[in-house]
Amino acid sequence: MAAQLLEEKLTCAICLGLYQDPVTLPCGHNFCGACIRDWWDRCGKACPECREPFPDGAELRRNVALSGVLEVVRAGPARDPGPDPDPGPDPAARCPRHGRPLELFCRTEGRCVCSVCTVRECRLHERALLDAERLQRENSACILASWVSGKFSSLLQALEIQHTAALRSIEVAKTQALAQARDEEQRLRGHLEAVARHGCRIREILEQVDEQTFLQESQLLQPPGPLGPLTPLQWDEDQQLGDLKQLLSRLCGLLLEEGSHPGAPAKPVDLAPVDYRNLTFDPVSANRHFYLSRQDQQVKHCRQCQGPGGPGSFQLWQVQCAQSFQAGHHYWEVRASDHSVTLGVSYPQLPRCRLGPHTDNIGRGPCSWGLCVQEDSLQAWHNGEAQRLPGVSGRLLGMDLDLASGCLTFYSLEPQTQPLYTFHALFNQPLTPVFWLLEGRTLTLCHQPGAVFPPGPQEEVLS
């Protein structure tokens, strides 16, 4: 043990080996003669340990005493022959390169290092003591955990506020509706009582024996005024929950989003064959300029009218599928002959008639979501708001609908699979695929062997 301590005292701080031709600087530190000259050539004339400048014109002088001690050490045994009572650190905690204890942490390389590493490989790296690095990491973990807890606390507090406000709004609307109902009930009761009194008076007059009295009183008898139409109750569920649904949809998007901004494309998924759905167009819903063929698997927008439109057909240039989805995970593909088509899904209450200047209503309101394929760009539509996207090949497109997680993702499949846009929403009604296409365009629902047909809306209700 004593020999090891002596050897450490006789070690050069530059080469970390026993001194060779040791020299002493004016500050009192010792180094190998060749090591200090090489150091000065690279880093300037200063002490490597205390940074005291070496005087100009001064010469290095050999340390005679230290040289003598080194001769004695080199002549004797390197270590005591007896057992070492202190074997030192665990060999596993020693540097695999230099065999010295791992005393520091190199933040630049992210590993524990020894003193030799700090002079050679990690000389210019950022380093720290092991206990200091551990303390910093523990503090960083505590700060991160505190930050996450604070964010979730704020989120829960905001949700609680929205919950209270929504219940209060519903209660106010309920009170107003009940008050209106009571007023209408009172008005109706009053009218019924007036009619009953009038009926009693009529019976009394009819019971008169004297003709003169009968004629006089019947001539003065006035019936009660008309009741008038009953005022409908002011209760609109969509109006009560509209803002709340939008808030929860945006929140759902932020929590589920994988990209850096709302609406960022989701990562490509490996769609299992069980998720693929073979769909058909609904002839009843087709616009009167649409021609369906291939067993309702293909639709074409023709200039010539195909006949009078039925009560369930779109006045807009649209058609929907005969199938709908209320739960589960579903995927289908569509091939378009050209651009200027729109793909989407909608709730059952999507209007059939034109309500504005547009020739489509997919994504124009809160009950539908759509992707419009233009010649040079894409537009993701919902609730009257559009998100413009870069243009891609829009001939073969895929749609992935996961009702459990509230995700609707559009894909471009040629020349390679590429996610285009993902909607996040709390879908609470059955969704039906719906399409818009410009004159001359053709859409084909792609079928795969073995894929199943999901139930239609009526079959779904019966099941």
Side-chain angles (χ1 to χ4, degrees), residues 353-407:
C353 58
R354 179 182 297 188
L355 302 178
H358 306 287
T359 58
D360 77 301
N361 60 1
I362 303 176
R364 307 287 181 179
C367 65
S368 59
W369 296 257
L371 183 75
C372 180
V373 181
Q374 301 290 349
E375 182 176 9
D376 57 349
S377 67
L378 303 172
Q379 291 181 356
W381 280 89
H382 175 61
N383 202 21
E385 298 180 358
Q387 176 72 36
R388 189 177 179 88
L389 309 170
V392 297
S393 174
R395 299 299 179 89
L396 183 59
L397 299 163
M399 298 177 63
D400 183 73
L401 175 62
D402 189 349
L403 290 160
S405 61
C407 295

Side-chain angles (χ1 to χ4, degrees), residues 409-437:
T409 303
F410 295 85
Y411 292 90
S412 172
L413 304 176
E414 290 180 345
Q416 59 186 7
T417 301
Q418 176 183 354
L420 301 177
Y421 193 84
T422 297
F423 287 104
H424 298 282
L426 299 174
F427 301 119
N428 53 16
Q429 298 183 48
L431 288 171
T432 303
V434 61
F435 308 90
W436 172 91
L437 56 157

Side-chain angles (χ1 to χ4, degrees), residues 60-81:
L60 289 173
R61 294 184 177 274
R62 183 170 179 268
N63 190 321
V64 179
L66 192 56
S67 298
V69 173
L70 286 166
E71 291 177 359
V72 174
V73 171
R74 289 192 177 96
R79 294 185 179 273
D80 295 338

Side-chain angles (χ1 to χ4, degrees), residues 75-93:
R79 294 185 179 273
D80 295 338
D84 191 350
D86 183 11
D90 184 2

Side-chain angles (χ1 to χ4, degrees), residues 197-213:
R197 289 194 299 269
H198 183 68
C200 292
R201 183 57 182 157
I202 290 176
R203 286 193 295 272
E204 292 175 357
I205 295 175
L206 291 175
E207 293 174 356
Q208 290 291 334
V209 180
D210 183 45
E211 288 80 1
Q212 183 179 2
T213 303

